[in-house]
Amino acid sequence: MKTFYISLLGSALLSIVALGWLIDTFSQQTHTPQDEFAVQSKMITGFSQQLTHIATSERKAYVKQLADDFNLLLDYKLNDSLALPPSLLLQMHRPNGLILEDQQGFYMLYSSQTLSPYHISMRLDKRANKEQRNDIVLTLLFYTGLCVFMGFIIAPLAKRLTVLNEAAKKFASGNVQARIKVSYFTYIKDVELTFNRMASQIEKLVAENKLMASSLSHDIRTPIACLRFGLDAALDSREEQKIKQYLARMENDLDHMESMLKSYLAFSTLEQNANKLTYSSTNIKHYLENILVQLAPKLESQMLNIQLNSSNDTINADLHWLARAITNLLTNACDFAEQHIYLSARLDEQQLVITVEDDGPGIAKENFNNVFSPFFKEEAHRNRADKSYGLGLAIVAKVADWHHGNIQVSTSKQLGGACFTLTIDQHYKTQSIS
């Protein structure tokens, strides 16, 4: 929007200055009194030449006679009778004389060395109607030109606002895939990009809510069926020992349902944290070492060997959520690795690149894009992590998106299992996330 404000202000000032200069130039050319009264100037010059042949005492009467003969307002007076500064008095000696204006119109003053200290004055009527019409025309031309100039500026804005309005209508009608094709020649590029980002976020939330509803309804059927079966069996049984066994199973099913609901609810409210990120700086190597210290008991219990290869660069990110994402990747690697896990980190220009690899079964290529969807679990991996609800990698994807980065999966060239690459953009380290 700054571009629009600057362009609008600059165009307005430029148009006013340019039009004002053009109209002023035109006005000076068409309304120069000397050009308009060229005939009168020649007449008064001729009268003054005739006066040089008349005796000084008879000149005033002669001027009066000229005024009557030519039906002009002529007068012959001393220069001292004029309340004019010396600079203007000298201008009366110019070939065209001196032209002044008062409320009644113009009057011309002329003098020469032979007439001095006297001068001749001639009244010149003002052409009021013509000048008034010219003023009206010039005023209309000014405002018309200003409107044309501003039209060139506002027309592209109106066009882009129409595009934005149409996209908003489509989105409001239910087409969550409606987007604006951002044009390079636009004043509201930031607004268009913000709209597209907002639409993408809403589309993700809608898709996640639909997926959550379907997944929850699907996943909760099994524990509910188990609860129903256990309750019926406990009611039908007459042996106290079996009743206790059924109740114990029902308690496990309830714990499983409670854990599932907590995970689902936690994920559903996860997006609220996008506006609460707090950026800070740290050494990436020490940061990863501290995360590995926290995961040491899990690594030791599963007898896994992890190798860290990291630079000593300083990074900027929300360290809490970045640690959550890295921990989820490492936990996922622990669940599927056979013996080895490889963790690396480096700064590549303005991006932090973190890689987690393992020697497990890996991810099928057809599922490379699906593993980051909420509640997705590969069929071959469902029995490897019974307490997983398919949310760990989805959280990693959200954290990457909050940091204007991304997460990708491929096959590890070193270990042969899965290879997850988390990229965090360092360019946005000082900006708030929206």
Side-chain angles (χ1 to χ4, degrees):
M1 294 300 290
K2 288 183 179 179
T3 305
F4 169 67
Y5 294 144
I6 294 174
S7 301
L8 185 61
L9 181 60
S11 300
L13 293 176
L14 178 62
S15 61
I16 291 173
V17 172
L19 289 171
W21 178 78
L22 290 174
I23 292 175
D24 185 61
T25 302
F26 175 76
S27 177
Q28 288 180 357
Q29 293 177 352
T30 56
H31 292 281
T32 302
Q34 285 80 2
D35 296 337
E36 186 175 355
F37 302 116
V39 175
Q40 290 85 345
S41 178
K42 292 180 180 180
M43 291 176 62
I44 200 171
T45 303
F47 293 156
S48 66
Q49 292 177 355
Q50 292 183 16
L51 286 177
T52 59
H53 303 293
I54 305 300
T56 305
S57 59
E58 299 177 0
R59 287 179 180 179
K60 188 168 185 179
Y62 183 75
V63 169
K64 185 177 180 182
Q65 183 64 36
L66 288 174
D68 294 337
D69 293 341
F70 289 91
N71 194 22
L72 297 174
L73 297 175
L74 294 176
D75 203 354
Y76 182 75
K77 294 181 179 180
L78 284 169
N79 294 343
D80 294 340
S81 64
L82 297 173
L84 294 177
S87 59
L88 290 179
L89 292 175
L90 290 176
Q91 292 185 26
M92 292 191 303
H93 293 265
R94 296 185 309 178
N96 295 328
L98 173 65
I99 299 177
L100 300 177
E101 184 180 8
D102 58 12
Q103 295 180 351
Q104 298 177 0
F106 296 98
Y107 59 96
M108 183 181 297
L109 305 176
Y110 183 81
S111 182
S112 63
Q113 292 182 354
T114 57
L115 295 180
S116 184
Y118 288 87
H119 69 274
I120 300 176
S121 66
M122 178 189 295
R123 169 62 63 180
L124 307 173
D125 294 333
K126 182 184 293 187
R127 301 178 182 180
N129 294 334
K130 181 178 178 181
E131 291 182 356
Q132 186 175 9
R133 288 196 300 270
N134 289 339
D135 291 341
I136 294 175
V137 171
L138 291 176
T139 303
L140 292 176
L141 287 176
F142 175 79
Y143 285 110
T144 302
L146 183 61
C147 291
V148 171
F149 269 99
M150 298 307 296
F152 280 112
I153 302 300
I154 297 177
L157 173 64
K159 182 178 180 181
R160 298 309 301 176
L161 288 176
T162 302
V163 173
L164 176 61
N165 184 50
E166 292 298 324
K169 286 182 179 179
K170 292 179 181 179
F171 194 86
S173 63
N175 182 11
V176 294
Q177 295 181 344
R179 298 292 186 276
I180 298 175
K181 186 178 180 181
V182 180
S183 173
Y184 180 79
F185 299 100
T186 177
Y187 301 115
I188 55 172
K189 185 176 182 179
D190 292 340
V191 177
E192 294 174 358
L193 292 175
T194 301
F195 175 86
N196 288 343
R197 181 168 177 80
M198 176 202 68
S200 298
Q201 293 285 0
I202 294 176
E203 183 181 10
K204 288 180 182 179
L205 290 175
V206 171
E208 289 174 0
N209 288 337
K210 290 181 179 179
L211 186 59
M212 180 180 297
S214 60
S215 299
L216 183 60
S217 62
H218 176 271
D219 292 344
I220 206 170
R221 289 176 183 175
T222 300
I224 289 179
C226 292
L227 279 174
R228 174 64 63 183
F229 174 79
L231 181 60
D232 292 339
L235 292 175
D236 294 338
S237 178
R238 297 181 181 273
E239 297 181 16
E240 184 176 351
Q241 186 64 28
K242 288 186 176 181
I243 293 176
K244 290 182 179 181
Q245 292 178 357
Y246 290 137
L247 292 176
R249 292 178 183 176
M250 292 170 63
E251 185 178 9
N252 290 333
D253 291 333
L254 286 173
D255 291 340
H256 179 63
M257 291 177 62
E258 184 179 6
S259 176
M260 181 189 303
L261 291 174
K262 284 183 179 179
S263 299
Y264 279 44
L265 291 175
F267 183 79
S268 65
T269 58
L270 194 62
E271 196 65 31
Q272 298 177 3
N273 298 292
N275 296 321
K276 303 176 183 178
L277 297 190
T278 303
Y279 277 83
S280 54
S281 303
T282 188
N283 180 278
I284 181 59
K285 187 173 183 179
H286 296 161
Y287 180 69
L288 294 177
E289 288 175 347
N290 291 333
I291 293 177
L292 292 180
V293 169
Q294 299 175 8
L295 290 176
K298 184 177 182 66
L299 295 169
E300 293 175 359
S301 64
Q302 297 182 221
M303 295 181 293
L304 296 174
N305 176 39
I306 187 166
Q307 179 184 354
L308 173 62
N309 182 14
S310 174
S311 63
N312 279 306
D313 296 307
T314 299
I315 63 166
N316 293 271
D318 187 295
L319 302 182
H320 168 74
W321 284 107
L322 181 58
R324 176 79 177 272
I326 297 173
T327 301
N328 285 1
L329 291 176
L330 291 173
T331 301
N332 183 77
C334 291
D335 290 337
F336 298 101
E338 298 294 339
Q339 290 182 329
H340 302 288
I341 298 175
Y342 179 72
L343 173 62
S344 67
R346 72 180 191 280
L347 271 182
D348 184 8
E349 295 182 355
Q350 292 293 328
Q351 291 185 327
L352 169 65
V353 181
I354 299 175
T355 304
V356 178
E357 305 176 49
D358 63 68
D359 60 352
I363 306 293
K365 290 185 178 181
E366 60 269 19
N367 291 325
F368 278 179
N369 295 326
N370 297 328
V371 292
F372 303 109
S373 299
F375 320 112
F376 176 83
K377 290 185 288 184
E378 281 195 304
E379 291 295 333
H381 297 168
R382 288 183 178 272
N383 296 328
R384 300 294 298 269
D386 294 333
K387 294 182 180 180
S388 173
Y389 303 107
L391 297 176
L393 295 179
I395 293 175
V396 175
K398 277 192 174 294
V399 173
D401 184 59
W402 294 344
H403 288 80
H404 298 268
N406 61 76
I407 177 71
Q408 296 178 341
V409 62
S410 59
T411 301
S412 173
K413 296 180 180 180
Q414 299 185 67
L415 302 178
C419 174
F420 290 92
T421 303
L422 174 64
T423 303
I424 300 297
D425 200 330
Q426 297 292 284
H427 177 69
Y428 291 88
K429 61 187 178 182
T430 61
Q431 298 184 12
S432 61
I433 304 298
S434 59

